[in-house]
Amino acid sequence: MDPPHYTSEAPPASSINIKSSFVSQDALDQSRARREEEWKRAHANADNPPPMPEEPYDPRTLYERLKEQRDRKEADFEEATRLGNLVHRLDNEEANFLDEMVEERKKKERALEEEEKAALAQFRR
């Protein structure tokens, strides 16, 4: 079996399907006219059709717009996690103290139950 034959020649320009990143004013006008026509067809039966929304032109680069979105998401995330950072974590000493308090409360409740049982038993006699 023969090894594949590689060439350093570039493929013909007609086989490459690259879209230009630049948009002409004619293309913008055509797409705007197409949207307006679709808008009119969609609202043809309406008595008072709403005005077609205009897309505002943003002269910033794609990088700047994406950076703004990323910064906004980061700020929202920081705001959401800000309260989580304010919570004070208990150390071992504080946890032990709270455990002792719970045990004391349980002892008091048990003693009160036993006292109630004894009083109830005495009342039944």
Side-chain angles (χ1 to χ4, degrees):
M1 184 172 211
D2 293 331
H5 182 25
Y6 297 105
T7 63
S8 62
E9 296 176 18
S14 61
S15 68
I16 300 176
N17 193 7
I18 299 176
K19 292 185 176 181
S20 175
S21 61
F22 297 102
V23 180
S24 68
Q25 186 64 39
D26 291 337
L28 290 175
D29 292 338
Q30 288 173 355
S31 67
R32 184 176 296 123
R34 188 176 55 246
R35 281 195 314 270
E36 285 177 3
E37 184 63 34
E38 290 173 1
W39 186 265
K40 288 176 184 176
R41 272 188 275 133
H43 296 286
N45 296 335
D47 293 335
N48 190 8
M52 183 177 161
E54 285 292 320
E55 295 178 12
Y57 175 70
D58 192 357
R60 298 176 298 160
T61 63
L62 178 62
Y63 172 78
E64 292 170 339
R65 288 182 271 168
L66 292 175
K67 184 175 184 323
E68 179 190 2
Q69 288 178 0
R70 185 180 63 234
D71 292 344
R72 192 177 326 122
K73 284 182 182 179
E74 286 178 3
D76 291 344
F77 177 76
E78 288 175 5
E79 181 67 25
T81 58
R82 183 173 54 96
L83 293 177
N85 295 335
L86 294 177
V87 174
H88 171 69
R89 304 239 180 339
L90 297 177
D91 61 2
N92 288 337
E93 187 177 318
E94 291 171 324
N96 291 337
F97 174 76
L98 292 174
D99 288 340
E100 290 174 9
M101 297 295 291
V102 169
E103 287 299 321
E104 283 183 34
R105 187 178 312 133
K106 286 182 181 178
K107 284 181 186 177
K108 288 180 183 178
E109 289 175 1
R110 281 190 222 121
L112 185 61
E113 284 181 22
E114 289 178 16
E115 201 176 297
E116 287 177 359
K117 284 182 183 178
L120 189 59
Q122 184 180 3
F123 176 73
R124 288 182 181 163
R125 285 188 221 156

